[in-house]
mmCIF file of all heavy atoms in Angstrom:
data_model
loop_
_atom_site.group_PDB
_atom_site.id
_atom_site.type_symbol
_atom_site.label_atom_id
_atom_site.label_comp_id
_atom_site.label_asym_id
_atom_site.label_seq_id
_atom_site.Cartn_x
_atom_site.Cartn_y
_atom_site.Cartn_z
ATOM 1 N N TYR B 31 -9.956 -23.477 -0.633
ATOM 2 C CA TYR B 31 -9.502 -23.506 -2.020
ATOM 3 C C TYR B 31 -10.669 -23.633 -2.985
ATOM 4 O O TYR B 31 -10.729 -22.943 -4.007
ATOM 5 C CB TYR B 31 -8.529 -24.660 -2.254
ATOM 6 C CG TYR B 31 -8.172 -24.827 -3.708
ATOM 7 C CD1 TYR B 31 -7.271 -23.964 -4.320
ATOM 8 C CD2 TYR B 31 -8.791 -25.811 -4.479
ATOM 9 C CE1 TYR B 31 -6.973 -24.083 -5.662
ATOM 10 C CE2 TYR B 31 -8.499 -25.940 -5.824
ATOM 11 C CZ TYR B 31 -7.587 -25.071 -6.409
ATOM 12 O OH TYR B 31 -7.305 -25.186 -7.739
ATOM 13 N N LEU B 34 -12.236 -20.083 -3.068
ATOM 14 C CA LEU B 34 -11.470 -18.883 -3.425
ATOM 15 C C LEU B 34 -10.467 -19.085 -4.543
ATOM 16 O O LEU B 34 -9.984 -18.123 -5.123
ATOM 17 C CB LEU B 34 -10.756 -18.328 -2.182
ATOM 18 C CG LEU B 34 -11.669 -17.899 -1.033
ATOM 19 C CD1 LEU B 34 -10.832 -17.292 0.082
ATOM 20 C CD2 LEU B 34 -12.716 -16.894 -1.505
ATOM 21 N N LYS B 35 -10.132 -20.328 -4.808
ATOM 22 C CA LYS B 35 -9.217 -20.632 -5.914
ATOM 23 C C LYS B 35 -7.875 -19.911 -5.810
ATOM 24 O O LYS B 35 -7.270 -19.550 -6.810
ATOM 25 C CB LYS B 35 -9.866 -20.311 -7.265
ATOM 26 C CG LYS B 35 -11.026 -21.202 -7.634
ATOM 27 C CD LYS B 35 -10.569 -22.601 -7.959
ATOM 28 C CE LYS B 35 -11.710 -23.473 -8.478
ATOM 29 N NZ LYS B 35 -12.800 -23.634 -7.468
ATOM 30 N N ILE B 36 -7.430 -19.701 -4.609
ATOM 31 C CA ILE B 36 -6.068 -19.216 -4.398
ATOM 32 C C ILE B 36 -5.141 -20.411 -4.596
ATOM 33 O O ILE B 36 -5.440 -21.496 -4.097
ATOM 34 C CB ILE B 36 -5.924 -18.645 -2.971
ATOM 35 C CG1 ILE B 36 -6.799 -17.403 -2.816
ATOM 36 C CG2 ILE B 36 -4.465 -18.340 -2.649
ATOM 37 C CD1 ILE B 36 -7.018 -16.974 -1.375
ATOM 38 N N PRO B 37 -4.035 -20.224 -5.323
ATOM 39 C CA PRO B 37 -3.124 -21.345 -5.584
ATOM 40 C C PRO B 37 -2.915 -22.192 -4.335
ATOM 41 O O PRO B 37 -2.473 -21.681 -3.299
ATOM 42 C CB PRO B 37 -1.827 -20.650 -6.016
ATOM 43 C CG PRO B 37 -2.289 -19.390 -6.647
ATOM 44 C CD PRO B 37 -3.540 -18.980 -5.918
ATOM 45 N N SER B 139 -13.615 -15.925 -6.624
ATOM 46 C CA SER B 139 -12.783 -15.528 -7.756
ATOM 47 C C SER B 139 -13.212 -16.335 -8.959
ATOM 48 O O SER B 139 -13.104 -17.549 -8.995
ATOM 49 C CB SER B 139 -11.311 -15.810 -7.452
ATOM 50 O OG SER B 139 -10.592 -15.914 -8.646
ATOM 51 N N ASN B 140 -13.731 -15.670 -9.948
ATOM 52 C CA ASN B 140 -14.134 -16.397 -11.145
ATOM 53 C C ASN B 140 -13.188 -16.160 -12.310
ATOM 54 O O ASN B 140 -13.511 -16.425 -13.452
ATOM 55 C CB ASN B 140 -15.567 -16.033 -11.541
ATOM 56 C CG ASN B 140 -15.769 -14.544 -11.503
ATOM 57 O OD1 ASN B 140 -14.813 -13.799 -11.271
ATOM 58 N ND2 ASN B 140 -16.979 -14.089 -11.732
ATOM 59 N N ASN B 141 -12.005 -15.657 -12.002
ATOM 60 C CA ASN B 141 -10.996 -15.671 -13.045
ATOM 61 C C ASN B 141 -10.548 -17.116 -13.211
ATOM 62 O O ASN B 141 -9.782 -17.623 -12.416
ATOM 63 C CB ASN B 141 -9.791 -14.790 -12.718
ATOM 64 C CG ASN B 141 -9.533 -14.669 -11.239
ATOM 65 O OD1 ASN B 141 -10.484 -14.582 -10.465
ATOM 66 N ND2 ASN B 141 -8.282 -14.675 -10.845
ATOM 67 N N ASN B 142 -11.066 -17.762 -14.201
ATOM 68 C CA ASN B 142 -10.791 -19.180 -14.411
ATOM 69 C C ASN B 142 -9.327 -19.472 -14.138
ATOM 70 O O ASN B 142 -8.463 -19.208 -14.954
ATOM 71 C CB ASN B 142 -11.139 -19.580 -15.837
ATOM 72 C CG ASN B 142 -12.606 -19.353 -16.133
ATOM 73 O OD1 ASN B 142 -13.460 -19.813 -15.377
ATOM 74 N ND2 ASN B 142 -12.904 -18.635 -17.204
ATOM 75 N N SER B 143 -9.095 -20.022 -13.014
ATOM 76 C CA SER B 143 -7.727 -20.160 -12.524
ATOM 77 C C SER B 143 -6.850 -20.969 -13.451
ATOM 78 O O SER B 143 -7.240 -21.977 -13.995
ATOM 79 C CB SER B 143 -7.749 -20.815 -11.143
ATOM 80 O OG SER B 143 -6.444 -20.934 -10.642
ATOM 81 N N VAL B 144 -5.646 -20.471 -13.642
ATOM 82 C CA VAL B 144 -4.673 -21.221 -14.420
ATOM 83 C C VAL B 144 -3.929 -22.210 -13.522
ATOM 84 O O VAL B 144 -3.143 -23.004 -13.987
ATOM 85 C CB VAL B 144 -3.629 -20.292 -15.064
ATOM 86 C CG1 VAL B 144 -4.270 -19.462 -16.141
ATOM 87 C CG2 VAL B 144 -2.986 -19.406 -14.031
ATOM 88 N N PHE B 145 -4.206 -22.123 -12.236
ATOM 89 C CA PHE B 145 -3.479 -22.957 -11.293
ATOM 90 C C PHE B 145 -4.175 -24.293 -11.090
ATOM 91 O O PHE B 145 -5.386 -24.402 -11.198
ATOM 92 C CB PHE B 145 -3.359 -22.247 -9.946
ATOM 93 C CG PHE B 145 -2.648 -20.936 -10.064
ATOM 94 C CD1 PHE B 145 -3.368 -19.754 -9.999
ATOM 95 C CD2 PHE B 145 -1.288 -20.891 -10.261
ATOM 96 C CE1 PHE B 145 -2.719 -18.541 -10.118
ATOM 97 C CE2 PHE B 145 -0.634 -19.675 -10.378
ATOM 98 C CZ PHE B 145 -1.359 -18.506 -10.305
ATOM 99 N N THR B 146 -3.386 -25.275 -10.802
ATOM 100 C CA THR B 146 -3.946 -26.575 -10.486
ATOM 101 C C THR B 146 -3.789 -26.828 -9.003
ATOM 102 O O THR B 146 -2.945 -26.234 -8.341
ATOM 103 C CB THR B 146 -3.209 -27.675 -11.262
ATOM 104 O OG1 THR B 146 -1.809 -27.507 -11.065
ATOM 105 C CG2 THR B 146 -3.519 -27.578 -12.736
#
Side-chain angles (χ1 to χ4, degrees):
Chain B
Y31 173 77
L34 299 184
K35 292 290 186 298
I36 294 165
S139 158
N140 46 5
N141 29 321
N142 299 308
S143 181
V144 291
F145 301 105
T146 50

